[in-house]
């Protein structure tokens, strides 16, 4: 965000009113001029005896709302000319001509037909106490913007229920920029000299480049692994999806859910790989059936019971470490999101995703340390680059030289064994 200029004309003992203007990428069907407000328990200091109202045209707020912080949203519907459709007929026709042969395709000169549409601009108003503003103006602006978007996201979500639209819920991650203004709460004028533009999320542009050769090689390697039965790519995909929900959509609930899914896939799969490697000398699924017996406890119980004897390290969520952070900051939060419909804050989601990544790093570190005992699992999860970086490559390399099996077959063999385990459970 841009730093706000110094507020020299803001009174030191009065709350500051902050107004943000944002244009939503998807329309919100509120009537033009509609106002929605919410009040909070936080007190606005320095307003003893003053009345408060949502707008000059509305009556004073009730006593229980007076003197407390608020968010007021006013919806402006601005007409725009927009393309009538987005069927990509030019691109489709160009490829069709290349496939079928014929004259080179020439796009039509006339522009696509346009229609009138609405662009929703939201005027979001809230306040900050003067002492909060004085400590850190930029942090105060960010906090105020987040408060406004919390309310706007609720309005957007409930509007979807009325219209049954599939548009994403409005979040700040979807908005490229916001204009903002500041003034004393007791003043109706914004002629205070403070305000500016906040750059929020860079606009998404068209694809301008394709894979280079090295990237294409990585793609083919991932495809070979996942088609061979690797669960690791599935966990990586869920982790990427969590970051996408977080950064692109501002959907913190789904970000937490997918981060939890990534962690659970890793925990389940690494344990299964360890069990698979243990039974190679005497092929059997009995030990795995015993470990994965749900009557003995779920994932959290298996983590406490099965990992420490095999990989060492701290696997007790009651003790400080990656497991404790995962259980507290991600697993418990995921439960609240899934079972209660809780909508986590951005800060909670950031901590949850960090806990997921820290757990993965912890598991990788333990596998590198135990590469001599579980070389196949270490190689399948970390590969040569990971083992060289974290240690354990010498042990894994020695196993590879002595082994008659080829690593390309290992995921296929593991997947076949795991299918038997799952079918017998």
């Amino acid at each position: 965000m841009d730093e706000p200029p110094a507020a020299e004309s803001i009174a030191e003992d009065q709350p500051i009113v902050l107004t943000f203007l944002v244009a939503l990428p998807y329309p919100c069907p509120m009537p033009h001029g509609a106002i929605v407000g919410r009040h909070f328990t936080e007190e606005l200091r320095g307003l003893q005896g003053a009345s408060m109202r949502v707008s000059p045209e509305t009556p004073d707020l009730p006593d229980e709302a007076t003197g407390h912080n608020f968010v007021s949203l006013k919806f402006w519907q601005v007409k725009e000319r927009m393309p009538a459709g987005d069927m990509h007929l030019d691109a489709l026709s160009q490829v069709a001509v290349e496939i079928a042969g014929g004259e080179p395709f020439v796009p039509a000169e006339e522009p696509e037909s346009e229609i009138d549409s609405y662009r929703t601009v939201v005027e979001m108003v809230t306040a900050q106490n003067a002492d909060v503003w004085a400590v850190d103006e930029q942090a105060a602006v960010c906090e105020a913007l987040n408060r406004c978007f919390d309310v706007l996201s609720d309005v957007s979500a409930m509007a979807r229920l009325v219209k049954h639209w599939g548009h994403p819920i409005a979040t700040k991650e979807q908005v490229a920029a916001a204009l903002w203004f500041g003034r004393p709460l007791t003043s109706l004028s914004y002629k205070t000299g403070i305000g500016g533009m906040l750059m929020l999320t860079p606009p998404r542009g068209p694809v301008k480049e394709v894979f280079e050769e090295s990237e294409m090689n990585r793609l083919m390697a991932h495809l070979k692994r996942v088609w061979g039965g690797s669960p690791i790519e599935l966990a990586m995909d869920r982790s990427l999806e969590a970051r996408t929900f977080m950064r692109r959509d501002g959907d913190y609930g789904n970000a937490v859910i997918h981060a939890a899914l990534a962690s659970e896939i890793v925990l389940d799969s690494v344990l299964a790989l360890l069990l698979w490697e243990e039974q190679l000398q005497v092929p059997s699924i009995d030990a795995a059936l015993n470990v994965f017996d749900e009557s003995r406890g779920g994932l959290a119980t298996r983590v406490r019971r099965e990992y420490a004897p095999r990989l060492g390290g701290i696997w007790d969520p009651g003790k400080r470490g990656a497991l404790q952070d995962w259980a507290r900051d991600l697993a418990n939060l995921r439960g609240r999101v899934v079972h209660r419909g809780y909508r986590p804050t951005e800060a909670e989601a950031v901590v949850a995703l960090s806990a997921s990544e820290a757990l993965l790093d912890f598991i990788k570190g333990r596998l590198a340390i135990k590469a001599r005992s579980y070389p196949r699992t270490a190689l399948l999860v970390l590969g040569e680059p990971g083992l060289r970086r974290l240690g354990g490559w010498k042990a894994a390399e020695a196993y590879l030289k002595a082994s008659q099996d080829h690593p390309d077959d290992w995921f296929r063999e593991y997947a076949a064994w795991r299918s038997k385990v799952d079918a017998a459970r």
Side-chain angles (χ1 to χ4, degrees):
M1 289 187 179
D2 295 342
E3 280 197 34
E8 296 178 358
S9 59
I10 293 292
E12 295 182 356
D13 60 345
Q14 290 186 17
I16 295 93
V17 172
L18 294 168
T19 297
F20 302 92
L21 295 180
V22 295
L24 303 183
Y26 305 100
C28 186
M30 301 290 288
H32 179 72
I35 296 175
V36 177
R38 181 181 180 186
H39 286 80
F40 300 91
T41 57
E42 179 195 8
E43 292 188 2
L44 293 176
R45 296 177 283 279
L47 293 180
Q48 291 76 8
S51 62
M52 292 177 62
R53 58 186 61 180
V54 174
S55 69
E57 297 79 22
T58 57
D60 290 348
L61 294 171
D63 292 341
E64 60 269 21
T66 297
H68 293 269
N69 210 342
F70 64 92
V71 167
S72 177
L73 307 178
K74 183 175 182 178
F75 292 82
W76 301 70
Q77 302 294 358
V78 182
K79 284 189 176 181
E80 286 185 337
R81 295 289 292 173
M82 301 185 67
D86 194 12
M87 299 173 66
H88 307 290
L89 291 179
D90 285 355
L92 292 172
S93 300
Q94 185 171 335
V95 174
V97 168
E98 291 286 338
I99 294 173
E103 295 296 325
F105 175 74
V106 179
E109 293 183 1
E110 64 272 11
E112 294 184 16
S113 59
E114 295 183 335
I115 59 173
D116 285 328
S117 181
Y118 284 116
R119 171 70 66 186
T120 304
V121 174
V122 187
E123 177 186 352
M124 310 189 297
V125 184
T126 188
Q128 283 286 31
N129 281 303
D131 53 349
V132 175
W133 181 270
V135 171
D136 189 331
E137 295 173 8
Q138 185 174 9
V141 171
C142 294
E143 179 187 292
L145 180 69
N146 289 340
R147 186 187 309 126
C148 289
F149 265 105
D150 285 344
V151 178
L152 177 58
S153 295
D154 287 339
V155 174
S156 175
M158 296 303 102
R160 295 200 313 174
L161 296 185
V162 175
K163 280 288 189 182
H164 295 282
W165 283 2
H167 290 325
I169 295 173
T171 64
K172 72 174 185 291
E173 285 78 6
Q174 299 169 6
V175 176
L179 300 179
W180 73 278
F181 314 91
R183 61 174 172 81
L185 187 60
T186 53
S187 171
L188 297 179
S189 173
Y190 280 103
K191 296 179 180 179
T192 59
I194 66 169
M197 177 180 290
L198 302 175
M199 304 307 297
L200 302 179
T201 304
R204 301 177 198 97
V207 174
K208 298 181 180 179
E209 58 185 26
V210 295
F211 284 159
E212 297 178 355
E213 182 179 358
S214 61
E215 294 170 323
M216 193 63 192
N217 291 337
R218 286 168 54 196
L219 168 67
M220 298 310 295
H222 282 312
L223 287 174
K224 184 177 182 179
R225 284 166 57 89
V226 77
W227 288 341
S230 168
I232 307 305
E233 276 71 17
L234 303 180
M236 293 167 61
D237 183 56
R238 291 305 93 200
S239 182
L240 177 60
E241 193 74 354
R243 293 194 295 273
T244 301
F245 275 117
M246 181 83 181
R247 298 170 183 170
R248 184 195 67 192
D249 302 327
D251 187 342
Y252 308 136
N254 265 316
V256 168
I257 290 172
H258 283 269
L261 286 175
S263 296
E264 291 171 19
I265 292 171
V266 169
L267 286 168
D268 180 272
S269 299
V270 169
L271 178 57
L273 283 166
L274 295 171
L275 291 166
W276 165 72
E277 189 165 2
E278 289 173 357
Q279 59 84 52
L280 289 175
Q281 299 302 318
V282 182
S284 171
I285 63 171
D286 293 342
L289 288 176
N290 182 57
V291 168
F292 287 110
D293 184 353
E294 293 293 332
S295 67
R296 301 182 63 211
L299 176 64
T301 301
R302 285 195 293 276
V303 168
R304 290 193 299 268
R305 185 183 64 220
E306 306 293 343
Y307 267 89
R310 292 174 169 86
L311 296 184
I314 299 175
W315 293 90
D316 183 352
K319 298 180 180 179
R320 178 180 293 183
L323 256 294
Q324 184 180 77
D325 294 342
W326 169 76
R328 180 190 63 230
D329 299 328
L330 179 56
N332 289 345
L333 182 59
R334 178 259 184 200
R336 294 169 65 194
V337 172
V338 171
H339 301 298
R340 288 180 45 203
Y342 176 70
R343 295 174 62 184
T345 65
E346 179 182 13
E348 288 175 320
V350 168
V351 172
L353 267 63
S354 295
S356 178
E357 293 171 359
L359 176 64
L360 178 59
D361 289 341
F362 173 66
I363 293 173
K364 288 179 178 179
R366 298 310 309 174
L367 283 173
I369 291 173
K370 293 293 183 176
R372 189 175 302 279
S373 300
Y374 294 96
R376 291 196 179 198
T377 302
L379 282 163
L380 289 176
V381 175
L382 299 175
E384 181 179 342
L387 284 167
R388 286 187 180 276
R389 177 171 56 88
L390 298 172
W393 170 242
K394 288 186 178 180
E397 184 181 31
Y399 177 83
L400 282 174
K401 290 179 178 179
S403 175
Q404 300 300 314
D405 297 325
H406 197 283
D408 287 348
D409 298 326
W410 292 350
F411 269 133
R412 177 180 52 80
E413 295 169 4
Y414 160 75
W417 173 85
R418 182 64 193 267
S419 294
K420 293 179 181 179
V421 173
D422 292 342
R425 289 171 64 183

